[in-house]
Amino acid sequence: MSRWLPRAYLTLVYLLLYVPIGILVLFSFNDSRSGYTWGGLSLRWYQSLFNNNAMVEAMWNSLWLALSAATVSTVIGALTALALHRYRFRGKKMLNGMLFVVMMSPEIVLAISLLALFLLVGIQLGYVSLLLAHVTFCLPFVVITVMARLSGFDERLPEAARDLGASDFTMTRTVLIPVIMPALLAGWLLGFTLSLDDVVVSTFVSGPSYEILPLRIYSMVRVGLKPEVNALGTLLLVFSLVMLMLSQWILSRSKR
Amino acid sequence: MKKLALASLLAVGLTGCSSEEPQVLNLYNWSEYMPQEVLTRFQEETGIEVVYTTYDSNEAMYAKLKLLDDSAAYDLAVPSTYYVSKMRQEGLLMPIDRSKIEGFDKLDPELVNLDIDPDNQYSIPYLWGTTGLAVDNADIEGEPVTAWEDLWQERFEGRVMLTNDMREVFHVGLRVLGYSGNSTNPEEIEAAYEKLSELMPSVRTFNSDAPRVPYLEGETDVGMIWNGEAVMAEETMPSLEYVYPDEGIIAWLDSFVIPKNAKNPEAAHKFISFVLQPEISALISEEIGYATPNLAARDMLPDEVADNRASYPTPEDMENAEFQVDIGDEALQVYAKYWEMLKSGS
Amino acid sequence: MRSLMQQPFRTAVLVLVWGWLLFLVLAPNLLVVGASVATRDPVSFISLPLNLDAYRQLFDPLYLEVFLHSLYMAAMTTLVCLLIGYPFAWALSRVPGRRQLLLIFLLIVPFWTNSLVRTYALKLLLATNGLLNSALLGLGWIDEPLKMLYTEGAVVIGLVYLLLPFMILPLYSVFDDLRQELLLASHDLGAGRVATFFHVIVPLTLPGVLAGVMLVLLPAMGLFFVPDILGGSRNLLVGNVIKNQFLDARNWPFGAAASIVLTITMAFLMFAHKLSKQRIGEDGV
């Protein structure tokens, strides 16, 4: 196959993905309050965003929560996938079933049942309850992604490793983890995305001590979607892109 | 030298402990429903820090406060109209000590002592508004639209917008048939459903996120809207008119309430008094775009805000106006069932 | 059988995994099952006595209709995601080294902007006097603005836009494993491009396809705000109905029962699909 066709296709899909984002960035500089018609260039929404302490704090809370939830769910999810793939134990079907139930449960059902559970066992609503809930709903996404990768994996490798005297842990660390790395990355990214975006579950399991961004954004639409939200989206986008470029730069320097 | 440093460190630590913890007021409110300036000034004046947490629907707020019950950590919430009566009747609220509230007498007599909370034992009005008709005069020719019933006219096919709110939509159906918008009679509700299903082919969308948007987008030309949204839309779309329908407008009122298990009711009372100051109420109304029930504050508003009929209706406009009340669980199930039938189009 | 002490790692993994799932999945779901057989109560949400009324209520043809419609839209979404995502993941996996990592991040970054906000941006694009129509009118390709917003199509576009990475990422992780030598070998053995695709590439990437289908199909039934914003609230998904039952109608037993039946039905559908696949596979061999 020629080289330009895949490239053109990739470019096209990226364009489609970024068009709505472009609109959002554009409208974040819109002077008009309605957020719908164009009223000239302005930075007023950025200004009012930075004056909104609660909003900025919620943003940091959200980022921290998403980072930790994605990481914990990747670790547990990968271990679950490895266990399902390699170990023989009773109740495998049940384990699979539970993951399926999480995926299928409507958010509101998950939200209320988790809140009821936290209240029953006396977990304070705040960062911990949010983390437990987020990791739980991210988990199946990681497990399924990692399982898909493992199912194409050559079974003789771990056996060879064990024959050479490697312990289970060593074998996992040196043979399996490198193999499932792309899936771990994919799973982590999915988890981070899901956590950053969740509203319904967070509404119920968060307390006043720890508010996160999506909650503010969702209820903000009641008084009309304010252009501050666009400004916020733009900042988040710029932040992610800068981090991305930075990591690329560091990587390329460390290689040299 | 080291010892001295240690001692001073200890001293700092000790004074840190002995001084009172900074007081906190946990406010549970709609997002962007209270200007940051008000919170900042309250903290400057009283030293109490306001922690502002948000919800996106009365239903979610109610369910959460109810489930949390004893471990509730909120000191102040802002339910809409009939949720006040519902929460009051279910014992979720703490009575408000009127002796600690300043400025109650400045509130509009029309908006206190309502059925939802006789004598305002549990709630203090915060902001209020109405749901009425929006008409895009640029796109609509012929007879002016003056009543809910006009929405059924053929010329509006595919151009009507309704709010995505079960109670409000049925309110319209019921009023057109001459019933109360708070009907609990299953036959009347069914009749309203029949009537509304005749309207469905005309309905292009339901929207309760930002009901002004479908008009601005040009998707719809006539239908329901909240008054605050209509005011916001006027800025960019002068042709959009807010009409008080003949059958009567739907009125609603958001009030401060103190949950039964509030940790800091003292601060909650202080905050309510703070907001009731005319200057603060005026600031809020101007910033948020909805009407303040505070008559003294209305006098301080700039003319273009105070004279806007959409925000501040005349007494004639409010003829036949109806506040929504709690309809009870039985009727709610009937509404919910017909609502789903209406929306799934069967 | 080796003793526990000899396999400390295995034991630790199993304890952690089981502990997490039993506490955070099984326990809350037992509560859901309990709620579904309780009686609706206006004051405390649910109360005794236990009964099956909620399940009986589900037999209403209205809910079957909503379910089928929801399934149809979710299936359309999954199909479109697969058609876009499969070649995309393939092309992505062939991009060399570090550039590949960069592209993956670029793929996911738009999804870190709140989905509600992005759905609104999409709305600006699809509206009657929105950007897409203006562009098409300007180019003279159409004479009258297309009515795209508040249609089933708009809902599917919205769902695809929100769920696409959930298809691409699992696919990417299997494509990444697909060794170029295999394709060359297939080619050397005389297989044409089409034959290589169907006999080598598709079977090898099938686990990724199935994972992607799961990750798109199941959430697509529940993203209630997409029909609200892009479908004019008229193309209800199962997620809308269940959310309404919990919050608006406050009928928790019914909401819980609907959720349980939904889970069982979808599990059954997937299981039946898997069985039929296996049978075909066995026959083929």
Side-chain angles (χ1 to χ4, degrees):
Chain A
M1 204 186 301
S2 58
R3 286 188 74 117
W4 66 266
L5 190 66
R7 271 194 200 171
Y9 183 70
L10 285 177
T11 316
L12 178 73
V13 175
Y14 277 112
L15 267 179
L16 286 179
L17 282 178
Y18 275 86
V19 163
I21 303 292
I23 296 175
L24 187 145
V25 172
L26 190 70
F27 274 79
S28 74
F29 295 105
N30 184 1
D31 193 41
S32 152
R33 189 192 162 94
S34 83
Y36 182 72
T37 42
W38 185 251
L41 276 177
S42 154
L43 285 176
R44 63 191 272 208
W45 305 119
Y46 289 89
Q47 220 167 0
S48 77
L49 187 66
F50 282 116
N51 290 329
N52 197 336
N53 306 335
M55 187 86 129
V56 175
E57 196 189 317
M59 188 169 84
W60 288 119
N61 283 347
S62 259
L63 281 175
W64 175 238
L65 176 68
L67 273 172
S68 42
T71 308
V72 175
S73 62
T74 305
V75 171
I76 299 182
L79 291 176
T80 311
L82 286 172
L84 282 172
H85 183 74
R86 307 208 21 251
Y87 299 148
R88 240 171 247 200
F89 56 91
R90 249 186 249 169
K92 229 178 191 181
K93 284 217 170 91
M94 183 175 164
L95 210 73
N96 263 319
M98 287 197 286
L99 290 169
F100 181 82
V101 167
V102 178
M103 288 221 56
M104 208 52 242
S105 292
E107 284 179 300
I108 185 76
V109 178
L110 208 62
I112 291 181
S113 61
L114 281 173
L115 173 61
L117 178 77
F118 293 155
L119 291 174
L120 270 178
V121 297
I123 293 177
Q124 275 265 277
L125 294 184
Y127 174 70
V128 175
S129 61
L130 278 167
L131 182 68
L132 289 176
H134 281 215
V135 170
T136 302
F137 69 67
C138 292
L139 210 53
F141 288 82
V142 179
V143 177
I144 290 173
T145 313
V146 176
M147 284 291 276
R149 172 89 189 188
L150 278 173
S151 68
F153 172 61
D154 191 340
E155 272 314 312
R156 281 164 304 182
L157 271 173
E159 274 169 37
R162 201 162 321 160
D163 290 347
L164 292 172
S167 75
D168 209 19
F169 175 71
T170 317
M171 192 279 295
T172 305
R173 190 169 54 87
T174 53
V175 179
L176 286 177
I177 302 282
V179 167
I180 59 172
M181 208 55 207
L184 290 185
L185 175 72
W188 190 90
L189 286 173
L190 289 178
F192 186 80
T193 311
L194 281 169
S195 166
L196 204 58
D197 212 29
D198 173 71
V199 175
V200 179
V201 176
S202 305
T203 304
F204 282 86
V205 300
S206 67
S209 59
Y210 203 86
E211 200 183 29
I212 55 174
L213 197 60
L215 301 188
R216 293 200 81 89
I217 292 179
Y218 262 60
S219 64
M220 204 189 249
V221 295
R222 195 215 179 200
V223 275
L225 196 63
K226 282 202 182 167
E228 271 126 319
V229 179
N230 293 339
L232 191 74
T234 308
L235 283 181
L236 208 63
L237 184 76
V238 171
F239 178 75
S240 329
L241 289 178
V242 167
M243 293 305 284
L244 194 57
M245 297 306 157
L246 210 65
S247 61
Q248 283 288 308
W249 185 68
I250 291 171
L251 269 177
S252 71
R253 275 186 58 120
S254 66
K255 283 234 165 116
R256 247 170 244 158
Chain B
M1 193 62 210
K2 247 184 193 164
K3 264 184 190 163
L4 198 73
L6 196 69
S8 60
L9 207 74
L10 265 176
V12 170
L14 282 175
T15 47
C17 290
S18 64
S19 78
E20 258 179 70
E21 285 253 314
Q23 275 206 63
V24 168
L25 170 77
N26 281 308
L27 172 61
Y28 200 29
N29 197 0
W30 305 88
S31 180
E32 306 305 297
Y33 208 43
M34 178 76 69
Q36 177 72 37
E37 192 186 337
V38 174
L39 306 182
T40 316
R41 281 173 63 174
F42 180 69
Q43 183 166 6
E44 276 164 14
E45 214 161 284
T46 61
I48 301 171
E49 186 195 349
V50 182
V51 175
Y52 190 112
T53 329
T54 55
Y55 51 85
D56 67 345
S57 71
N58 277 307
E59 288 76 18
M61 178 269 305
Y62 166 82
K64 193 162 173 194
L65 282 183
K66 181 130 198 172
L67 280 171
L68 285 173
D69 200 32
D70 288 340
S71 50
Y74 301 103
D75 301 311
L76 205 54
V78 191
S80 303
T81 328
Y82 57 91
Y83 270 85
V84 172
S85 56
K86 186 166 177 58
M87 291 166 80
R88 174 176 59 95
Q89 280 157 11
E90 291 173 13
L92 295 176
L93 304 180
M94 180 188 284
I96 286 178
D97 184 350
R98 197 74 67 66
S99 67
K100 291 179 188 159
I101 300 285
E102 285 164 43
F104 185 79
D105 50 322
K106 293 176 207 129
L107 291 170
D108 189 339
E110 302 276 338
L111 294 169
V112 295
N113 198 11
L114 297 172
D115 288 341
I116 53 165
D117 184 21
D119 208 24
N120 286 77
Q121 281 183 307
Y122 294 89
S123 68
I124 305 288
Y126 171 52
L127 289 173
W128 72 286
T130 55
T131 306
L133 274 168
V135 182
D136 182 1
N137 285 317
D139 282 340
I140 284 184
E141 291 114 34
E143 291 286 298
V145 178
T146 58
W148 291 122
E149 203 177 3
D150 294 343
L151 295 178
W152 271 259
Q153 291 169 10
E154 247 173 61
R155 59 179 169 146
F156 296 136
E157 204 177 317
R159 299 162 73 184
V160 174
M161 194 207 83
L162 303 179
T163 53
N164 195 11
D165 181 312
M166 176 177 85
R167 287 290 308 278
E168 284 189 352
V169 169
F170 274 90
H171 196 125
V172 170
L174 288 162
R175 293 301 295 200
V176 167
L177 295 172
Y179 304 129
S180 159
N182 294 312
S183 174
T184 54
N185 179 341
E187 280 160 33
E188 290 178 3
I189 302 168
E190 190 186 344
Y193 161 72
E194 299 288 345
K195 183 80 185 165
L196 287 166
S197 52
E198 287 168 29
L199 181 61
M200 284 309 283
S202 289
V203 177
R204 185 139 165 76
T205 179
F206 293 88
N207 188 324
S208 271
D209 288 337
R212 71 181 189 285
V213 172
Y215 300 102
L216 294 174
E217 286 168 344
E219 300 288 336
T220 60
D221 301 317
V222 65
M224 299 165 78
I225 198 168
W226 305 325
N227 61 341
E229 287 275 311
V231 172
M232 260 185 261
E234 259 172 21
E235 214 178 284
T236 42
M237 193 178 183
S239 62
L240 194 75
E241 188 190 352
Y242 188 70
V243 176
Y244 289 85
D246 295 342
E247 294 97 339
I249 199 121
I250 306 168
W252 42 265
L253 172 71
D254 292 343
S255 308
F256 285 121
V257 299
I258 305 178
K260 180 184 57 183
N261 295 307
K263 305 267 187 314
N264 198 349
E266 238 11 78
H269 282 91
K270 270 186 201 159
F271 190 77
I272 296 174
S273 301
F274 182 78
V275 167
L276 283 177
Q277 294 172 75
E279 186 205 349
I280 300 292
S281 282
L283 178 90
I284 292 170
S285 176
E286 220 184 317
E287 180 96 356
I288 307 289
Y290 284 97
T292 172
N294 192 328
L295 290 177
R298 271 174 72 167
D299 295 337
M300 299 173 69
L301 287 170
D303 285 348
E304 73 268 19
V305 178
D307 293 343
N308 191 327
R309 223 183 100 196
S311 303
Y312 293 98
T314 65
E316 295 83 67
D317 292 335
M318 293 303 282
E319 242 173 69
N320 299 324
E322 205 174 4
F323 278 97
Q324 287 180 353
V325 300
D326 186 25
I327 46 171
D329 184 58
E330 283 307 313
L332 185 68
Q333 302 308 316
V334 182
Y335 276 98
K337 167 89 201 202
Y338 283 121
W339 177 239
E340 267 160 13
M341 283 167 65
L342 196 66
K343 286 188 52 176
S344 61
S346 62
Chain C
M1 188 105 195
R2 280 184 273 180
S3 78
L4 285 181
M5 283 311 289
Q6 278 170 307
Q7 292 175 293
F9 180 63
R10 180 196 143 118
T11 312
V13 168
L14 287 181
V15 166
L16 175 69
V17 168
W18 273 110
W20 193 282
L21 289 175
L22 288 180
F23 175 57
L24 285 154
V25 180
L26 187 68
N29 276 291
L30 287 180
L31 296 176
V32 174
V33 173
S36 76
V37 293
T39 303
R40 171 172 55 83
D41 189 291
V43 176
S44 60
F45 293 121
I46 50 171
S47 65
L48 294 170
L50 302 182
N51 61 62
L52 291 174
D53 281 357
Y55 290 90
R56 224 163 283 143
Q57 230 183 316
L58 271 174
F59 281 103
D60 195 310
L62 171 68
Y63 298 111
L64 182 68
E65 207 174 298
V66 172
F67 171 75
L68 288 178
H69 185 67
S70 193
L71 189 62
Y72 163 75
M73 285 205 282
M76 287 297 288
T77 304
T78 313
L79 189 67
V80 177
C81 279
L82 187 61
L83 289 179
I84 299 178
Y86 196 82
F88 185 88
W90 192 357
L92 191 65
S93 71
R94 293 181 53 189
V95 173
R98 207 150 28 77
R99 278 249 302 287
Q100 190 178 14
L101 200 65
L102 179 74
L103 284 178
I104 292 168
F105 273 97
L106 278 180
L107 171 76
I108 203 85
V109 160
F111 293 87
W112 293 348
T113 302
N114 189 281
S115 57
L116 186 79
V117 177
R118 274 182 299 128
T119 311
Y120 271 101
L122 209 56
K123 198 177 170 189
L124 286 173
L125 199 66
L126 295 176
T128 301
N129 49 15
L131 295 169
L132 191 59
N133 266 320
S134 317
L136 290 176
L137 281 171
L139 289 168
W141 290 3
I142 52 172
D143 299 325
E144 238 173 69
L146 302 170
K147 293 237 169 203
M148 289 177 286
L149 204 53
Y150 308 134
T151 59
E152 231 172 66
V155 177
V156 173
I157 291 177
L159 289 172
V160 169
Y161 185 53
L162 296 182
L163 293 169
L164 192 58
F166 294 82
M167 178 64 83
I168 292 178
L169 288 177
L171 276 174
Y172 155 76
S173 82
V174 292
F175 265 118
D176 187 67
D177 199 28
L178 191 68
R179 265 167 267 149
Q180 207 59 36
E181 305 93 79
L182 268 177
L183 304 186
L184 287 176
S186 164
H187 192 73
D188 290 347
L189 292 172
R193 273 194 192 141
V194 176
T196 305
F197 180 72
F198 282 107
H199 293 293
V200 180
I201 300 181
V202 169
L204 282 177
T205 52
L206 202 61
V209 174
L210 290 180
V213 167
M214 285 262 275
L215 298 189
V216 173
L217 185 73
L218 304 186
M221 314 240 338
L223 281 174
F224 56 87
F225 59 88
V226 179
D228 271 354
I229 297 170
L230 296 173
S233 239
R234 299 192 57 176
N235 287 290
L236 293 184
L237 294 179
V238 174
N240 297 69
V241 171
I242 293 178
K243 179 171 174 265
N244 289 348
Q245 287 301 330
F246 270 98
L247 293 180
D248 296 347
R250 282 193 288 280
N251 191 342
W252 287 25
F254 182 69
S259 163
I260 290 167
V261 171
L262 173 71
T263 310
I264 293 174
T265 314
M266 292 306 291
F268 183 75
L269 282 180
M270 296 238 153
F271 186 63
H273 179 249
K274 210 171 161 189
L275 276 187
S276 69
K277 266 272 159 60
Q278 275 171 0
R279 202 155 298 151
I280 292 167
E282 279 159 19
D283 289 348
V285 172

